[in-house]
Amino acid sequence: MAGRRFSLLRLFRRKKEEESPGAAPAQQPEEVQQVQPPQEDAGQERTEEQLRARGRFRRAAQTFMKFMGSRRRKARITPADVQAQPDTILTQLTKPDVSTASTAVPAKCDTTTSDLTTHWDTTSTDDVSHCDSVLPGLTEEADATTTEGVASTDAAPVQRLADTPSLEFLEERAVSAEVAITPDGDMQQRPPTVPKLAWVKEEEKEESPRAAPTQQPEEVQQVQPPQEDAGQERTEEQLRARGRFRRAAQLVCRFIRCIWHEEATFMATGGTANSDLFSAQTSAALLDMLVENSVYKAKQVPAIVRCIHQWLTSNVSAEHRLDKTLVLLTEEHPMDVAVTLLRSAPACDRAARTMWKTLISSRWTKEPVLQILFRVLEYWPAHRRRTSDGDERDVFALAATVALWEILQLSHSWCPGGVKDNFPRLLLTLLFQVFISTEEMSEEVETFWRRCREQRSLPPNPNRFAVQTVKALLRQLLGEDVLMAIGRKCGWDMLLKADSHHYAVGLLARELCRVSRSFCRSIAVSLLPRLSRGEPLWELPALAFLVEVLHCLNPRQCGPSVLQIISRHLRSQCPERRRLALRGLVVLSRDPAMAKSMRSLSESLLELLQDADTDAVQMTLSAFINVLHFQIVKISTPTALKLLEALRPLFDNEHSQLQQLSMLLFWELMEVTERSKSLKPHVYLSLVPFYFNWHNENQRVAEASWRALFGAARFLKWRDLEDLVTMEQPWRFPECLLEKDRSRVGQYVRQALPFLESPEKPLRKLAIKFLGIAARSMKKEQPELQLICQALQDMTDDSPAVSNLAQETLHIIRAVRRTSFFHFW
């Protein structure tokens, strides 16, 4: 670090391009040698005023840098460092470079510097006032030494000085980032055992080989500046030089005040009160020097960040001038830099965009800055963060959203690695912002967004801007096809409506699964902790996304946590949540590993079979079928009884899908349920519906009925009925059934009567035939016989084929009954 300081300070003296021929002064044993200025071309002569201006400027620069060096030694140099590295600042300041004018000031500079550095580390206003008080002293000193260095001009002309001396010299030579970091070559060659004054003398000998040293007394003489004539008047050039120097010194003091003491006007106006300060190149040079040499405290970092932002705002053409300074500052204080930038420029103006791009482009600052940005995004509406200067103001999540959108816009051809690695986290956070800014908008968020819109062109509503950020994120990672696919299905419009937001989230999940299953898998894993915590605000959209990507997960790893989430939502009062939970349960039930775990949900599923929601009942039947299909779980008799009671009304349901699924579930139940006498009555009552649905026009329903009828015959161990079903001879079923179980003929008749009103003509004719066969085996006193005759008699308004069949069957029944009556007598 000392090497860096030495190299930086060496830049404040001009190096000689060629040695000066002339008389060699006598050498003094312990005195700093006076080096003759280098010769220039014969045609270039320096006026007396220019020499005086140069002397004033050099002494001001030396005073300021010694001021900095003293503070830095006080704060940073340890005793071990002092022994290892000699004090190079004094050497630099005492070594003359051009003329004797530069050696006349150190005594006064040391006095002034010691006064300034005595209380440098304190933050009282006395330092500022004292710093301002230095200006008159420096100016008077410059006036008193206007004739200084004139004698040396006669011996040898000196290098021509610029007409406008200012502290821009700091930017051009003193704070070059590349030079400031490179150790000085002379410093590397310095013998470690040579004393400081001896080293100065050796260095001067090397630079002035023609000088013939002579022995002088040991003490260093102080060169008194020549006095001007009392009546000498200042020329116009001298007055201009004095004014330039005064303005430059005032600029330095004001800049230090802004950073070290945080003027109220700077905080209130955001730097507008110091616009002239930040429009100067000297300010950038001072910022470089402060950061590269670590001449600041941690609590001053937010002020430096604001100064950098204000300087970039005032200097449009030099937007990359402070890139390295910003990166160095962020490496040491990433939280202070990122949070301060979000507070100072929430709307992300041009200067802030430049700063974000610089931070994201650097591999040293990219990851910490993005993590801070993501953390702020996750806290809605604002996140309270304390910076090192004690500022605890809230940082709005929308400010981080604007910054993220700008980062994505700045990287058209590449996506930052941190954004890609945190894609699940970002996408879920942005979708939540879209939902919450659509569902409810607090007054503070509205006020914040209104202020942002006053600064730049932004959408009228925050939810629309959040959707734009989602699009930018998906475009960077997945391409334009995903955005177009969602747009064709009106997904972006549905995302902006509270009642259809979860549908749009599910649509987005399906499209993501189509493009990249790995992304969906990572998103689902990130989503599980949120759903496990039970966040009520975004629970429905989160559940919709999870259900769509469940097939991308490994059930053995995520199954238990998913099952816990689903079981909680099965008992929800919200119909939409129940439907989503059932959809997820159907997906899980397809995996054998989850079938056994779902046994605990049987009670909740039985209740849902009686739900009025057709979709919920359908998904419940599907989940039961998938679980029983693996034959891993054995159903207990009480559960089987409840299930058969719940299924029986569904056999005749008007929805064919429910009919099919209920009969398939019955067949699966017969395969895994142990035979019990308590189950047989329910199985008997299921035979007639299966028989009629076996003739259903819907082929799927007919096939499911055939399977259910076959399972019932096997469960009852009726070989005749089982063979009849296997050989597909349905016309034999009524006689076989009525002969096997005459005790339940009345119940069978009551089950067949509703089929006389079936919309399907074949089923009506089949019901007439079944009732005719049942009537012949019934006794006259049975009430069901009267019901059959009355029903057939009322079918005169049906189609001719059906009505004629009903009349013929009724005539046969009456004839049979009369014949039976005569035989009885």
Side-chain angles (χ1 to χ4, degrees), residues 705-759:
S705 300
W706 177 87
R707 288 178 176 272
L709 192 58
F710 179 78
R714 290 185 61 181
F715 182 85
L716 296 173
K717 296 183 179 181
W718 283 4
R719 292 297 302 273
D720 297 341
L721 186 59
E722 186 177 347
D723 293 341
L724 183 149
V725 175
T726 304
M727 297 173 63
E728 296 186 1
Q729 297 176 352
W731 62 88
R732 292 176 50 198
F733 177 82
E735 296 179 358
C736 180
L737 175 63
L738 296 174
E739 288 180 4
K740 280 279 188 181
D741 192 9
R742 289 180 176 272
S743 61
R744 294 186 177 86
V745 173
Q747 294 181 354
Y748 298 150
V749 168
R750 291 182 180 275
Q751 286 182 314
L753 284 173
F755 288 94
L756 293 175
E757 300 177 358
S758 173

Side-chain angles (χ1 to χ4, degrees), residues 604-631:
S604 299
L605 294 176
L606 284 172
E607 294 178 3
L608 289 173
L609 285 177
Q610 303 175 10
D611 199 297
D613 187 357
T614 304
D615 293 335
V617 175
Q618 178 179 334
M619 288 184 286
T620 305
L621 292 172
S622 299
F624 265 126
I625 292 171
N626 293 339
V627 171
L628 297 180
H629 177 72
F630 298 111
Q631 298 185 0

